[in-house]
Amino acid sequence: MDKITLGPMPYMSVMPTVLVGANVKGKANYMTAAWATVACMAPPMVCVALNKARYTAKGIEENKSFSLNIPSAQHVVETDHCGLVSGSQEDKSKVFTSFYGKLKTVPLAKECPVNIECKLFSEVDCGSHVLYVGEVVEIHADKACLTDGKPDVAKIHPIVYSQATYFDIGKPVEKAFSAGKKYTKK
């Protein structure tokens, strides 16, 4: 395979699409983001990078909490809408039905199969973006999307983002921590 250099950029081939939820000035707000991932196992933490100018960032700063809501492919239109308009210009509190969990300070989108409720652990100024690290307080999941008591990606149908396009999850390829056992040295 021939390789060429592309220059430095924040490229990841695929990223999860999430709705970042935060109350801003007492009102639920959701924004679409793809720069989110797991940050730590013990204690459980997740993180999301938001541009400093984002309206949602104000709510995270104000309440020291946020949610990462995992939308399913059936809500791609509503999810993309929340990334096209700013909460400073349009009230997005009715795009999804909000409910509140343990913290009582962060909106969770009822239509999303999985909601991750977080209290702000730390924030890192990375330049154009701030990386918000949240300690997971609770996971809220629809019973219908669980298998053996755990969220099942095949039932959730999460939206995957890659190069300005949304994708649904395809079929499984192999089991992690197992497929590599088939490797034979050449």
Side-chain angles (χ1 to χ4, degrees):
M1 221 183 270
D2 292 333
K3 300 280 185 177
I4 62 168
T5 58
L6 301 176
M9 63 179 132
Y11 176 77
M12 297 297 292
S13 59
V14 295
M15 297 174 281
T17 301
V18 299
L19 288 164
V20 182
N23 276 335
V24 185
K25 299 178 185 174
K27 188 172 278 193
N29 186 71
Y30 298 99
M31 79 161 268
T32 309
W35 295 2
T37 192
V38 171
C40 188
M41 284 296 285
M45 293 190 201
V46 293
C47 60
V48 63
L50 302 184
N51 187 289
K52 292 176 183 175
R54 296 291 177 236
Y55 186 71
T56 304
K58 292 178 181 13
I60 295 172
E61 300 287 339
E62 177 185 338
N63 297 292
K64 306 298 183 204
S65 58
F66 64 93
S67 63
L68 296 183
N69 301 273
I70 313 301
S72 64
Q74 76 182 51
H75 289 106
V76 70
V77 171
E78 296 89 340
T79 299
D80 193 52
H81 173 74
C82 287
L84 293 174
V85 298
S86 172
S88 66
Q89 303 297 314
E90 182 179 310
D91 178 3
K92 296 186 282 183
S93 66
K94 303 288 189 254
V95 176
F96 292 95
T97 308
S98 296
F99 71 96
Y100 291 82
K102 289 183 176 181
L103 295 174
K104 307 286 188 229
T105 58
V106 61
L108 304 152
K110 187 175 184 178
E111 292 81 358
C112 292
V114 178
N115 317 92
I116 306 169
E117 184 178 6
C118 304
K119 67 179 178 181
L120 184 62
F121 176 77
S122 69
E123 53 190 90
V124 180
D125 186 331
C126 297
S128 63
H129 286 62
V130 173
L131 183 67
Y132 292 101
V133 181
E135 184 172 345
V136 177
V137 173
E138 189 61 79
I139 301 287
H140 304 267
D142 291 348
K143 288 180 185 179
C145 76
L146 302 179
T147 298
D148 299 327
K150 294 180 183 163
D152 183 335
V153 71
K155 294 177 180 177
I156 295 168
H157 293 280
I159 303 167
V160 176
Y161 175 84
S162 180
Q163 299 180 356
T165 303
Y166 295 120
F167 294 87
D168 195 347
I169 294 288
K171 64 182 174 93
V173 178
E174 279 283 356
K175 286 282 191 188
F177 309 107
S178 177
K181 294 175 183 173
K182 298 175 189 174
Y183 178 77
T184 56
K185 292 181 183 177
K186 296 176 184 171

